[in-house]
Amino acid sequence: MIFTLLISLFFYLGNAYNGFVKRGVVELAVELILNYLYYFVSSLCVILVFIWFIYVLYDTYICNKAINNNIAIPLFLTQFELE
Protein backbone atom coordinates (compact mmCIF):
# COMPACT_ATOMS: atom_id res chain seq x y z
CA MET A 1 0.00 0.00 0.00
CA ILE A 2 2.81 2.42 0.79
CA PHE A 3 4.51 1.63 -2.53
CA THR A 4 1.30 2.46 -4.41
CA LEU A 5 0.96 5.78 -2.61
CA LEU A 6 4.59 6.63 -3.36
CA ILE A 7 4.07 5.93 -7.05
CA SER A 8 0.98 8.10 -6.96
CA LEU A 9 2.85 10.82 -5.09
CA PHE A 10 5.57 11.14 -7.71
CA PHE A 11 4.04 9.95 -10.98
CA TYR A 12 0.23 9.93 -10.59
CA LEU A 13 0.29 6.26 -11.54
CA GLY A 14 -0.72 4.58 -8.30
CA ASN A 15 -4.07 3.44 -9.66
CA ALA A 16 -2.42 2.13 -12.83
CA TYR A 17 -0.18 0.06 -10.57
CA ASN A 18 -3.32 -1.20 -8.78
CA GLY A 19 -4.64 -2.46 -12.11
CA PHE A 20 -6.86 0.49 -12.99
CA VAL A 21 -4.99 1.60 -16.08
CA LYS A 22 -7.80 3.77 -17.51
CA ARG A 23 -8.18 5.54 -14.19
CA GLY A 24 -4.44 6.14 -13.94
CA VAL A 25 -4.22 7.46 -17.49
CA VAL A 26 -7.14 9.84 -16.93
CA GLU A 27 -5.58 11.12 -13.70
CA LEU A 28 -2.26 11.68 -15.47
CA ALA A 29 -3.96 13.40 -18.45
CA VAL A 30 -5.85 15.78 -16.17
CA GLU A 31 -2.61 16.56 -14.35
CA LEU A 32 -0.83 17.34 -17.62
CA ILE A 33 -3.67 19.65 -18.68
CA LEU A 34 -3.63 21.43 -15.33
CA ASN A 35 0.14 21.83 -15.51
CA TYR A 36 -0.18 23.27 -19.01
CA LEU A 37 -2.73 25.78 -17.72
CA TYR A 38 -0.47 26.63 -14.82
CA TYR A 39 2.61 27.27 -16.95
CA PHE A 40 1.04 28.95 -19.97
CA VAL A 41 -2.23 30.54 -18.84
CA SER A 42 -2.26 31.57 -15.21
CA SER A 43 -0.23 30.91 -12.13
CA LEU A 44 -3.49 30.84 -10.17
CA CYS A 45 -4.04 27.34 -11.56
CA VAL A 46 -1.54 26.10 -9.00
CA ILE A 47 -4.49 25.86 -6.62
CA LEU A 48 -6.25 23.46 -9.00
CA VAL A 49 -3.05 21.45 -9.42
CA PHE A 50 -2.76 21.10 -5.64
CA ILE A 51 -6.42 20.11 -5.24
CA TRP A 52 -6.06 17.52 -8.01
CA PHE A 53 -2.87 16.20 -6.42
CA ILE A 54 -4.66 15.69 -3.09
CA TYR A 55 -7.62 14.03 -4.82
CA VAL A 56 -5.37 11.59 -6.71
CA LEU A 57 -3.65 10.58 -3.48
CA TYR A 58 -7.02 10.12 -1.77
CA ASP A 59 -8.43 8.16 -4.72
CA THR A 60 -5.40 5.87 -4.82
CA TYR A 61 -5.67 5.25 -1.09
CA ILE A 62 -9.41 4.50 -1.26
CA CYS A 63 -9.00 2.13 -4.24
CA ASN A 64 -6.11 0.34 -2.58
CA LYS A 65 -8.11 -0.01 0.64
CA ALA A 66 -11.09 -1.38 -1.32
CA ILE A 67 -8.88 -3.95 -3.03
CA ASN A 68 -7.36 -5.08 0.26
CA ASN A 69 -10.77 -5.37 1.97
CA ASN A 70 -12.54 -7.05 -0.99
CA ILE A 71 -15.19 -4.34 -1.32
CA ALA A 72 -16.51 -2.51 -4.37
CA ILE A 73 -14.17 0.00 -5.99
CA PRO A 74 -15.55 3.55 -5.66
CA LEU A 75 -16.47 5.48 -8.79
CA PHE A 76 -13.97 7.95 -10.22
CA LEU A 77 -15.00 11.47 -9.17
CA THR A 78 -18.10 9.73 -7.73
CA GLN A 79 -19.57 9.63 -11.27
CA PHE A 80 -17.50 7.55 -13.69
CA GLU A 81 -16.72 3.86 -13.71
CA LEU A 82 -13.09 3.58 -14.76
CA GLU A 83 -11.59 0.21 -13.91
Side-chain angles (χ1 to χ4, degrees):
M1 183 154 132
I2 292 175
F3 180 69
T4 304
L5 288 174
L6 286 175
I7 288 175
S8 183
L9 182 66
F10 294 112
F11 305 112
Y12 291 91
L13 295 175
N15 278 324
Y17 176 77
N18 280 338
F20 306 122
V21 176
K22 284 187 220 175
R23 198 175 197 137
V25 169
V26 169
E27 289 173 348
L28 183 62
V30 170
E31 177 61 27
L32 292 175
I33 291 168
L34 288 175
N35 277 328
Y36 174 81
L37 291 174
Y38 168 66
Y39 287 117
F40 297 111
V41 177
S42 172
S43 61
L44 293 176
C45 289
V46 73
I47 297 168
L48 294 175
V49 171
F50 181 71
I51 291 170
W52 184 251
F53 175 72
I54 297 300
Y55 174 75
V56 169
L57 286 178
Y58 170 76
D59 187 54
T60 302
Y61 173 74
I62 293 298
C63 287
N64 202 348
K65 190 175 177 182
I67 290 170
N68 290 337
N69 293 331
N70 266 348
I71 58 175
I73 305 299
L75 297 176
F76 180 67
L77 294 173
T78 68
Q79 299 295 317
F80 306 103
E81 177 136 0
L82 294 176
E83 290 189 26

Coordinates of all heavy atoms in Angstrom, one line a residue:
M1 N 0.8 -1.2 0.0 CA 0.0 0.0 0.0 C 0.9 1.2 0.0 O 0.6 2.2 -0.7 CB -0.9 0.0 1.2 CG -1.9 1.1 1.3 SD -3.3 0.7 2.2 CE -3.5 2.0 3.3
I2 N 1.9 1.2 0.7 CA 2.8 2.4 0.8 C 3.5 2.6 -0.6 O 3.6 3.8 -1.0 CB 3.8 2.3 1.9 CG1 3.1 2.3 3.3 CG2 4.9 3.3 1.8 CD1 4.0 2.1 4.5
F3 N 3.9 1.5 -1.2 CA 4.5 1.6 -2.5 C 3.6 2.3 -3.5 O 4.0 3.1 -4.3 CB 5.0 0.3 -3.0 CG 5.6 0.3 -4.4 CD1 6.9 0.8 -4.5 CD2 5.0 -0.3 -5.5 CE1 7.5 0.9 -5.8 CE2 5.6 -0.2 -6.7 CZ 6.8 0.3 -6.9
T4 N 2.3 1.9 -3.5 CA 1.3 2.5 -4.4 C 1.1 3.9 -4.2 O 1.0 4.7 -5.1 CB -0.1 1.7 -4.2 OG1 0.1 0.3 -4.4 CG2 -1.1 2.3 -5.2
L5 N 1.1 4.4 -2.9 CA 1.0 5.8 -2.6 C 2.2 6.6 -3.0 O 2.1 7.7 -3.5 CB 0.7 6.0 -1.1 CG -0.7 5.6 -0.7 CD1 -0.8 5.7 0.8 CD2 -1.8 6.4 -1.4
L6 N 3.4 6.0 -2.9 CA 4.6 6.6 -3.4 C 4.6 6.8 -4.9 O 5.0 7.9 -5.4 CB 5.8 5.9 -2.9 CG 6.2 6.0 -1.4 CD1 7.3 5.1 -1.1 CD2 6.5 7.4 -1.0
I7 N 4.2 5.8 -5.6 CA 4.1 5.9 -7.1 C 3.1 7.0 -7.4 O 3.3 7.8 -8.3 CB 3.6 4.6 -7.7 CG1 4.8 3.6 -7.6 CG2 3.2 4.8 -9.1 CD1 4.4 2.2 -8.1
S8 N 2.0 7.1 -6.7 CA 1.0 8.1 -7.0 C 1.5 9.5 -6.6 O 1.2 10.5 -7.3 CB -0.3 7.8 -6.2 OG -1.3 8.8 -6.5
L9 N 2.3 9.5 -5.5 CA 2.8 10.8 -5.1 C 3.8 11.4 -6.1 O 3.7 12.6 -6.4 CB 3.6 10.6 -3.8 CG 4.2 11.8 -3.1 CD1 3.1 12.7 -2.6 CD2 5.1 11.4 -1.9
F10 N 4.6 10.6 -6.8 CA 5.6 11.1 -7.7 C 5.1 11.1 -9.2 O 5.5 12.0 -10.0 CB 6.9 10.4 -7.6 CG 7.5 10.6 -6.2 CD1 7.6 9.6 -5.3 CD2 8.0 11.9 -5.9 CE1 8.2 9.8 -4.1 CE2 8.6 12.1 -4.7 CZ 8.7 11.1 -3.7
F11 N 4.3 10.1 -9.6 CA 4.0 9.9 -11.0 C 2.6 9.9 -11.3 O 2.2 9.7 -12.5 CB 4.7 8.7 -11.5 CG 6.1 8.6 -11.2 CD1 6.6 7.7 -10.3 CD2 7.0 9.4 -11.9 CE1 8.0 7.6 -10.1 CE2 8.4 9.3 -11.7 CZ 8.9 8.4 -10.8
Y12 N 1.7 10.0 -10.4 CA 0.2 9.9 -10.6 C -0.2 8.6 -11.2 O -1.1 8.5 -11.9 CB -0.3 11.1 -11.5 CG -0.2 12.4 -10.8 CD1 0.9 13.2 -10.9 CD2 -1.2 12.9 -10.1 CE1 1.0 14.4 -10.3 CE2 -1.2 14.1 -9.4 CZ -0.1 14.9 -9.6 OH 0.0 16.1 -8.9
L13 N 0.6 7.5 -10.9 CA 0.3 6.3 -11.5 C 0.0 5.2 -10.5 O 0.1 4.0 -10.8 CB 1.5 5.8 -12.4 CG 1.7 6.7 -13.6 CD1 3.0 6.3 -14.4 CD2 0.5 6.7 -14.6
G14 N -0.4 5.6 -9.3 CA -0.7 4.6 -8.3 C -1.9 3.7 -8.7 O -1.9 2.5 -8.4
N15 N -2.9 4.3 -9.3 CA -4.1 3.4 -9.7 C -3.7 2.5 -10.8 O -4.3 1.4 -10.9 CB -5.3 4.3 -10.0 CG -6.0 4.7 -8.7 OD1 -6.1 3.9 -7.8 ND2 -6.5 5.9 -8.7
A16 N -2.9 3.0 -11.7 CA -2.4 2.1 -12.8 C -1.7 0.9 -12.3 O -1.8 -0.2 -12.7 CB -1.6 2.9 -13.8
Y17 N -0.9 1.2 -11.2 CA -0.2 0.1 -10.6 C -1.2 -0.9 -9.9 O -1.0 -2.1 -9.9 CB 0.8 0.6 -9.5 CG 1.5 -0.5 -8.7 CD1 2.5 -1.2 -9.3 CD2 1.1 -0.8 -7.4 CE1 3.2 -2.2 -8.5 CE2 1.7 -1.7 -6.7 CZ 2.7 -2.4 -7.2 OH 3.4 -3.4 -6.5
N18 N -2.3 -0.4 -9.4 CA -3.3 -1.2 -8.8 C -4.1 -2.0 -9.8 O -4.9 -2.9 -9.4 CB -4.3 -0.3 -8.0 CG -3.8 0.1 -6.7 OD1 -2.9 -0.6 -6.1 ND2 -4.3 1.1 -6.1
G19 N -3.9 -1.7 -11.1 CA -4.6 -2.5 -12.1 C -5.7 -1.6 -12.8 O -6.4 -2.1 -13.7
F20 N -5.9 -0.4 -12.4 CA -6.9 0.5 -13.0 C -6.1 1.4 -14.0 O -5.9 2.6 -13.7 CB -7.6 1.3 -11.9 CG -8.2 0.4 -10.9 CD1 -7.9 0.6 -9.5 CD2 -9.1 -0.5 -11.2 CE1 -8.4 -0.2 -8.5 CE2 -9.7 -1.3 -10.2 CZ -9.3 -1.2 -8.9
V21 N -5.8 0.9 -15.1 CA -5.0 1.6 -16.1 C -5.7 2.8 -16.6 O -5.2 3.9 -16.7 CB -4.5 0.7 -17.2 CG1 -3.7 1.4 -18.3 CG2 -3.7 -0.5 -16.6
K22 N -7.0 2.6 -17.0 CA -7.8 3.8 -17.5 C -7.9 4.9 -16.5 O -7.7 6.1 -16.8 CB -9.2 3.3 -17.8 CG -9.4 2.5 -19.1 CD -10.8 2.4 -19.4 CE -11.1 1.0 -19.9 NZ -12.5 0.7 -20.0
R23 N -8.1 4.5 -15.3 CA -8.2 5.5 -14.2 C -6.9 6.3 -14.0 O -6.8 7.5 -13.9 CB -8.6 4.8 -12.9 CG -9.1 5.7 -11.8 CD -9.6 4.8 -10.7 NE -10.4 5.5 -9.8 CZ -11.5 5.1 -9.3 NH1 -11.9 3.8 -9.5 NH2 -12.2 5.8 -8.5
G24 N -5.8 5.5 -14.1 CA -4.4 6.1 -13.9 C -4.1 7.1 -15.1 O -3.6 8.1 -14.9
V25 N -4.5 6.6 -16.3 CA -4.2 7.5 -17.5 C -5.1 8.7 -17.5 O -4.6 9.8 -17.8 CB -4.5 6.6 -18.8 CG1 -4.5 7.5 -20.0 CG2 -3.5 5.5 -18.9
V26 N -6.3 8.6 -17.0 CA -7.1 9.8 -16.9 C -6.6 10.8 -15.9 O -6.5 12.0 -16.1 CB -8.6 9.5 -16.6 CG1 -9.4 10.7 -16.2 CG2 -9.2 8.7 -17.8
E27 N -6.2 10.3 -14.7 CA -5.6 11.1 -13.7 C -4.3 11.8 -14.2 O -4.1 13.0 -14.0 CB -5.3 10.3 -12.5 CG -6.5 9.8 -11.7 CD -6.2 8.9 -10.6 OE1 -5.1 8.4 -10.5 OE2 -7.1 8.7 -9.8
L28 N -3.5 11.1 -14.9 CA -2.3 11.7 -15.5 C -2.6 12.7 -16.5 O -2.0 13.8 -16.6 CB -1.4 10.6 -16.0 CG 0.0 11.0 -16.6 CD1 0.8 11.6 -15.5 CD2 0.7 9.9 -17.2
A29 N -3.6 12.4 -17.4 CA -4.0 13.4 -18.4 C -4.5 14.7 -17.8 O -4.1 15.8 -18.3 CB -5.0 12.8 -19.4
V30 N -5.3 14.6 -16.8 CA -5.8 15.8 -16.2 C -4.7 16.6 -15.5 O -4.7 17.8 -15.6 CB -6.9 15.4 -15.1 CG1 -7.3 16.6 -14.3 CG2 -8.2 14.9 -15.8
E31 N -3.8 15.9 -14.9 CA -2.6 16.6 -14.3 C -1.8 17.3 -15.4 O -1.4 18.4 -15.2 CB -1.7 15.6 -13.6 CG -0.5 16.2 -13.0 CD -0.8 17.3 -12.0 OE1 -1.9 17.2 -11.4 OE2 0.0 18.2 -11.8
L32 N -1.6 16.7 -16.6 CA -0.8 17.3 -17.6 C -1.6 18.6 -18.1 O -0.9 19.6 -18.4 CB -0.6 16.4 -18.8 CG 0.4 15.2 -18.4 CD1 0.5 14.2 -19.6 CD2 1.8 15.7 -18.0
I33 N -2.9 18.5 -18.3 CA -3.7 19.6 -18.7 C -3.6 20.8 -17.6 O -3.4 21.9 -18.0 CB -5.1 19.2 -18.9 CG1 -5.2 18.3 -20.2 CG2 -6.0 20.4 -19.1 CD1 -6.5 17.6 -20.4
L34 N -3.7 20.4 -16.4 CA -3.6 21.4 -15.3 C -2.2 22.1 -15.3 O -2.1 23.3 -15.1 CB -4.0 20.8 -14.0 CG -5.5 20.5 -13.8 CD1 -5.6 19.8 -12.4 CD2 -6.3 21.7 -13.8
N35 N -1.2 21.3 -15.5 CA 0.1 21.8 -15.5 C 0.3 22.8 -16.7 O 1.0 23.8 -16.6 CB 1.2 20.7 -15.5 CG 1.5 20.2 -14.1 OD1 1.4 21.0 -13.2 ND2 1.8 18.9 -14.0
Y36 N -0.2 22.4 -17.8 CA -0.2 23.3 -19.0 C -0.9 24.6 -18.7 O -0.3 25.7 -19.0 CB -0.9 22.6 -20.2 CG -1.0 23.5 -21.4 CD1 0.1 23.7 -22.3 CD2 -2.1 24.2 -21.7 CE1 0.1 24.5 -23.3 CE2 -2.2 25.0 -22.8 CZ -1.1 25.2 -23.6 OH -1.2 26.0 -24.7
L37 N -2.0 24.5 -18.1 CA -2.7 25.8 -17.7 C -1.9 26.6 -16.7 O -1.9 27.8 -16.8 CB -4.1 25.5 -17.1 CG -5.1 24.9 -18.1 CD1 -6.4 24.5 -17.3 CD2 -5.5 25.9 -19.2
Y38 N -1.3 25.9 -15.8 CA -0.5 26.6 -14.8 C 0.7 27.4 -15.5 O 1.0 28.5 -15.2 CB 0.0 25.6 -13.8 CG 1.1 26.2 -12.9 CD1 0.8 27.2 -12.0 CD2 2.4 25.7 -12.9 CE1 1.8 27.8 -11.1 CE2 3.4 26.2 -12.1 CZ 3.0 27.2 -11.2 OH 4.0 27.8 -10.4
Y39 N 1.4 26.7 -16.4 CA 2.6 27.3 -16.9 C 2.3 28.3 -18.0 O 3.0 29.3 -18.2 CB 3.5 26.2 -17.5 CG 4.2 25.4 -16.5 CD1 4.0 24.0 -16.3 CD2 5.1 26.0 -15.5 CE1 4.6 23.3 -15.3 CE2 5.7 25.3 -14.6 CZ 5.5 23.9 -14.5 OH 6.1 23.2 -13.5
F40 N 1.3 28.1 -18.8 CA 1.0 29.0 -20.0 C -0.1 29.9 -19.9 O -0.3 30.8 -20.6 CB 0.9 28.1 -21.2 CG 2.1 27.3 -21.5 CD1 2.1 25.9 -21.4 CD2 3.3 28.0 -21.9 CE1 3.3 25.2 -21.7 CE2 4.4 27.3 -22.2 CZ 4.4 25.9 -22.1
V41 N -1.0 29.7 -18.9 CA -2.2 30.5 -18.8 C -2.2 31.4 -17.6 O -2.2 32.6 -17.7 CB -3.5 29.7 -18.9 CG1 -4.7 30.6 -18.7 CG2 -3.6 28.9 -20.2
S42 N -2.2 30.8 -16.4 CA -2.3 31.6 -15.2 C -1.6 30.8 -14.1 O -1.8 29.6 -13.9 CB -3.7 31.9 -14.8 OG -3.8 32.5 -13.6
S43 N -0.9 31.5 -13.3 CA -0.2 30.9 -12.1 C -1.2 30.6 -11.0 O -0.9 29.9 -10.1 CB 0.9 31.8 -11.6 OG 0.4 33.0 -11.2
L44 N -2.4 31.1 -11.1 CA -3.5 30.8 -10.2 C -4.0 29.4 -10.3 O -4.6 28.9 -9.4 CB -4.7 31.8 -10.3 CG -4.4 33.3 -10.0 CD1 -5.6 34.1 -10.3 CD2 -4.0 33.4 -8.6
C45 N -3.7 28.7 -11.4 CA -4.0 27.3 -11.6 C -3.3 26.4 -10.6 O -3.6 25.2 -10.5 CB -3.8 26.9 -13.0 SG -5.0 27.7 -14.1
V46 N -2.3 26.9 -9.9 CA -1.5 26.1 -9.0 C -2.5 25.6 -7.9 O -2.3 24.5 -7.4 CB -0.3 26.8 -8.4 CG1 -0.8 27.9 -7.4 CG2 0.6 25.9 -7.8
I47 N -3.5 26.3 -7.6 CA -4.5 25.9 -6.6 C -5.2 24.6 -7.1 O -5.4 23.6 -6.4 CB -5.5 27.0 -6.3 CG1 -4.7 28.2 -5.6 CG2 -6.6 26.5 -5.4 CD1 -5.5 29.4 -5.5
L48 N -5.6 24.6 -8.4 CA -6.2 23.5 -9.0 C -5.3 22.3 -9.1 O -5.7 21.1 -8.8 CB -6.8 23.8 -10.4 CG -7.9 24.8 -10.5 CD1 -8.2 25.1 -11.9 CD2 -9.1 24.3 -9.8
V49 N -4.0 22.5 -9.4 CA -3.0 21.5 -9.4 C -2.9 20.8 -8.0 O -2.9 19.6 -7.9 CB -1.7 22.0 -9.9 CG1 -0.6 20.9 -9.7 CG2 -1.8 22.4 -11.3
F50 N -2.9 21.6 -7.0 CA -2.8 21.1 -5.6 C -4.0 20.3 -5.2 O -3.9 19.2 -4.7 CB -2.5 22.2 -4.7 CG -2.4 21.8 -3.2 CD1 -1.2 21.1 -2.8 CD2 -3.4 22.0 -2.3 CE1 -1.1 20.7 -1.5 CE2 -3.2 21.6 -1.0 CZ -2.1 20.9 -0.6
I51 N -5.2 20.8 -5.6 CA -6.4 20.1 -5.2 C -6.5 18.8 -6.0 O -6.8 17.8 -5.4 CB -7.7 21.0 -5.6 CG1 -7.7 22.2 -4.6 CG2 -8.9 20.2 -5.5 CD1 -8.8 23.2 -5.0
W52 N -6.1 18.8 -7.2 CA -6.1 17.5 -8.0 C -5.1 16.5 -7.4 O -5.3 15.3 -7.3 CB -5.8 17.8 -9.5 CG -5.8 16.6 -10.3 CD1 -4.8 15.9 -10.9 CD2 -7.0 15.8 -10.6 NE1 -5.3 14.8 -11.5 CE2 -6.6 14.7 -11.4 CE3 -8.4 16.0 -10.3 CZ2 -7.5 13.8 -11.9 CZ3 -9.3 15.0 -10.8 CH2 -8.8 13.9 -11.6
F53 N -3.9 17.0 -7.0 CA -2.9 16.2 -6.4 C -3.4 15.5 -5.2 O -3.2 14.3 -5.0 CB -1.7 17.1 -6.1 CG -0.6 16.4 -5.3 CD1 0.2 15.4 -6.0 CD2 -0.4 16.6 -4.0 CE1 1.2 14.8 -5.3 CE2 0.6 16.0 -3.3 CZ 1.4 15.0 -4.0
I54 N -4.1 16.3 -4.3 CA -4.7 15.7 -3.1 C -5.7 14.7 -3.4 O -5.8 13.6 -2.8 CB -5.2 16.8 -2.2 CG1 -4.1 17.7 -1.7 CG2 -6.0 16.2 -1.0 CD1 -3.0 17.0 -0.9
Y55 N -6.6 15.0 -4.4 CA -7.6 14.0 -4.8 C -7.0 12.7 -5.3 O -7.5 11.6 -5.0 CB -8.6 14.6 -5.9 CG -9.5 13.6 -6.4 CD1 -10.6 13.2 -5.6 CD2 -9.3 12.9 -7.6 CE1 -11.5 12.2 -6.0 CE2 -10.2 11.9 -8.0 CZ -11.3 11.6 -7.2 OH -12.1 10.6 -7.6
V56 N -6.0 12.8 -6.2 CA -5.4 11.6 -6.7 C -4.8 10.7 -5.6 O -5.0 9.5 -5.6 CB -4.3 11.9 -7.8 CG1 -3.5 10.7 -8.1 CG2 -5.0 12.5 -9.0
L57 N -4.2 11.3 -4.6 CA -3.6 10.6 -3.5 C -4.8 9.9 -2.7 O -4.7 8.7 -2.4 CB -2.8 11.5 -2.5 CG -1.5 11.9 -3.0 CD1 -0.8 12.8 -2.0 CD2 -0.6 10.7 -3.3
Y58 N -5.9 10.7 -2.5 CA -7.0 10.1 -1.8 C -7.6 9.0 -2.6 O -8.0 7.9 -2.0 CB -8.0 11.2 -1.5 CG -9.4 10.7 -1.0 CD1 -9.5 10.4 0.3 CD2 -10.5 10.7 -1.9 CE1 -10.7 9.9 0.8 CE2 -11.7 10.2 -1.4 CZ -11.8 9.8 -0.1 OH -13.0 9.4 0.3
D59 N -7.8 9.2 -3.9 CA -8.4 8.2 -4.7 C -7.6 6.9 -4.7 O -8.1 5.8 -4.7 CB -8.6 8.7 -6.1 CG -9.4 7.8 -7.0 OD1 -10.5 7.4 -6.6 OD2 -8.9 7.4 -8.1
T60 N -6.3 7.0 -4.8 CA -5.4 5.9 -4.8 C -5.5 5.1 -3.5 O -5.6 3.9 -3.5 CB -3.9 6.3 -5.1 OG1 -3.9 7.0 -6.3 CG2 -3.0 5.1 -5.1
Y61 N -5.5 5.9 -2.4 CA -5.7 5.2 -1.1 C -7.0 4.5 -1.0 O -7.0 3.3 -0.5 CB -5.6 6.3 0.0 CG -5.8 5.8 1.4 CD1 -4.9 5.0 2.0 CD2 -7.1 6.1 2.0 CE1 -5.2 4.5 3.3 CE2 -7.3 5.6 3.3 CZ -6.4 4.8 3.9 OH -6.7 4.3 5.2
I62 N -8.1 5.1 -1.4 CA -9.4 4.5 -1.3 C -9.5 3.2 -2.1 O -10.0 2.2 -1.7 CB -10.5 5.5 -1.6 CG1 -10.6 6.6 -0.6 CG2 -11.9 4.9 -1.8 CD1 -10.9 6.1 0.8
C63 N -9.0 3.3 -3.4 CA -9.0 2.1 -4.2 C -8.1 1.0 -3.7 O -8.5 -0.2 -3.7 CB -8.5 2.5 -5.6 SG -9.7 3.5 -6.6
N64 N -7.0 1.3 -3.2 CA -6.1 0.3 -2.6 C -6.8 -0.3 -1.4 O -6.7 -1.5 -1.2 CB -4.8 1.0 -2.2 CG -3.7 0.0 -2.1 OD1 -3.9 -1.2 -2.1 ND2 -2.5 0.4 -2.0
K65 N -7.4 0.5 -0.5 CA -8.1 0.0 0.6 C -9.3 -0.9 0.2 O -9.5 -2.0 0.8 CB -8.6 1.2 1.5 CG -9.1 0.8 2.8 CD -9.5 2.1 3.6 CE -10.1 1.7 4.9 NZ -10.5 2.9 5.7
A66 N -10.0 -0.6 -0.8 CA -11.1 -1.4 -1.3 C -10.6 -2.7 -1.8 O -11.2 -3.8 -1.6 CB -11.9 -0.6 -2.4
I67 N -9.5 -2.7 -2.5 CA -8.9 -4.0 -3.0 C -8.5 -4.9 -1.9 O -8.8 -6.1 -1.9 CB -7.7 -3.7 -3.9 CG1 -8.1 -3.0 -5.2 CG2 -6.9 -4.9 -4.2 CD1 -6.9 -2.5 -6.1
N68 N -7.8 -4.3 -0.9 CA -7.4 -5.1 0.3 C -8.5 -5.6 1.1 O -8.4 -6.7 1.7 CB -6.4 -4.3 1.1 CG -5.1 -4.0 0.5 OD1 -4.7 -4.7 -0.4 ND2 -4.4 -2.9 0.9
N69 N -9.6 -4.9 1.2 CA -10.8 -5.4 2.0 C -11.8 -6.1 1.2 O -12.9 -6.4 1.7 CB -11.4 -4.2 2.7 CG -10.5 -3.6 3.7 OD1 -9.6 -4.3 4.3 ND2 -10.6 -2.3 4.0
N70 N -11.6 -6.4 -0.1 CA -12.5 -7.0 -1.0 C -13.9 -6.4 -1.0 O -14.9 -7.0 -0.9 CB -12.7 -8.5 -0.6 CG -11.8 -9.4 -1.4 OD1 -11.2 -9.0 -2.3 ND2 -11.7 -10.6 -0.9
I71 N -13.9 -5.1 -1.2 CA -15.2 -4.3 -1.3 C -15.2 -3.7 -2.7 O -14.2 -3.6 -3.4 CB -15.4 -3.3 -0.2 CG1 -14.3 -2.3 -0.1 CG2 -15.6 -4.0 1.2 CD1 -14.5 -1.2 0.9
A72 N -16.4 -3.1 -3.1 CA -16.5 -2.5 -4.4 C -15.6 -1.3 -4.5 O -15.4 -0.5 -3.6 CB -18.0 -2.1 -4.6
I73 N -15.0 -1.1 -5.7 CA -14.2 0.0 -6.0 C -15.1 1.2 -6.2 O -16.0 1.2 -6.9 CB -13.4 -0.3 -7.3 CG1 -12.6 -1.6 -7.2 CG2 -12.5 0.9 -7.6 CD1 -11.6 -1.6 -6.1
P74 N -14.7 2.3 -5.5 CA -15.6 3.6 -5.7 C -15.4 4.1 -7.1 O -14.4 3.9 -7.8 CB -15.0 4.5 -4.6 CG -13.6 4.0 -4.3 CD -13.6 2.5 -4.6
L75 N -16.5 4.9 -7.5 CA -16.5 5.5 -8.8 C -15.5 6.6 -8.8 O -15.2 7.3 -7.8 CB -17.9 6.0 -9.1 CG -19.0 5.0 -9.2 CD1 -20.3 5.7 -9.4 CD2 -18.7 4.0 -10.3
F76 N -14.9 6.9 -10.0 CA -14.0 7.9 -10.2 C -14.7 9.3 -10.2 O -15.7 9.4 -10.9 CB -13.3 7.7 -11.6 CG -12.3 8.8 -11.9 CD1 -11.1 8.9 -11.2 CD2 -12.5 9.6 -13.0 CE1 -10.2 9.9 -11.5 CE2 -11.5 10.6 -13.3 CZ -10.4 10.7 -12.5
L77 N -14.3 10.2 -9.4 CA -15.0 11.5 -9.2 C -16.5 11.3 -8.8 O -17.3 12.1 -9.1 CB -14.9 12.4 -10.4 CG -13.5 12.8 -10.7 CD1 -13.5 13.6 -12.1 CD2 -12.9 13.8 -9.7
T78 N -16.8 10.2 -8.2 CA -18.1 9.7 -7.7 C -19.1 9.6 -8.9 O -20.3 9.5 -8.6 CB -18.7 10.6 -6.6 OG1 -19.0 11.9 -7.2 CG2 -17.7 10.8 -5.5
Q79 N -18.7 9.7 -10.1 CA -19.6 9.6 -11.3 C -19.2 8.6 -12.3 O -20.1 8.1 -13.0 CB -19.6 11.0 -12.0 CG -20.1 12.1 -11.1 CD -21.5 12.0 -10.7 OE1 -22.4 11.6 -11.5 NE2 -21.8 12.2 -9.4
F80 N -17.9 8.3 -12.5 CA -17.5 7.5 -13.7 C -16.9 6.2 -13.3 O -16.1 6.2 -12.3 CB -16.4 8.3 -14.5 CG -16.9 9.7 -14.9 CD1 -16.4 10.8 -14.2 CD2 -17.8 9.9 -15.9 CE1 -16.8 12.1 -14.6 CE2 -18.2 11.1 -16.3 CZ -17.7 12.2 -15.6
E81 N -17.3 5.2 -14.0 CA -16.7 3.9 -13.7 C -15.5 3.6 -14.6 O -15.6 3.3 -15.8 CB -17.8 2.8 -14.0 CG -17.2 1.4 -13.7 CD -18.2 0.5 -13.0 OE1 -19.3 1.0 -12.6 OE2 -17.8 -0.6 -12.7
L82 N -14.3 3.8 -14.0 CA -13.1 3.6 -14.8 C -12.3 2.5 -14.0 O -11.7 2.8 -13.0 CB -12.2 4.9 -14.8 CG -12.8 6.0 -15.6 CD1 -11.9 7.2 -15.5 CD2 -13.0 5.6 -17.1
E83 N -12.3 1.3 -14.5 CA -11.6 0.2 -13.9 C -10.7 -0.4 -14.9 O -10.7 -0.3 -16.0 CB -12.5 -0.8 -13.3 CG -13.3 -0.3 -12.1 CD -14.0 -1.4 -11.4 OE1 -13.7 -2.6 -11.5 OE2 -15.0 -1.0 -10.8

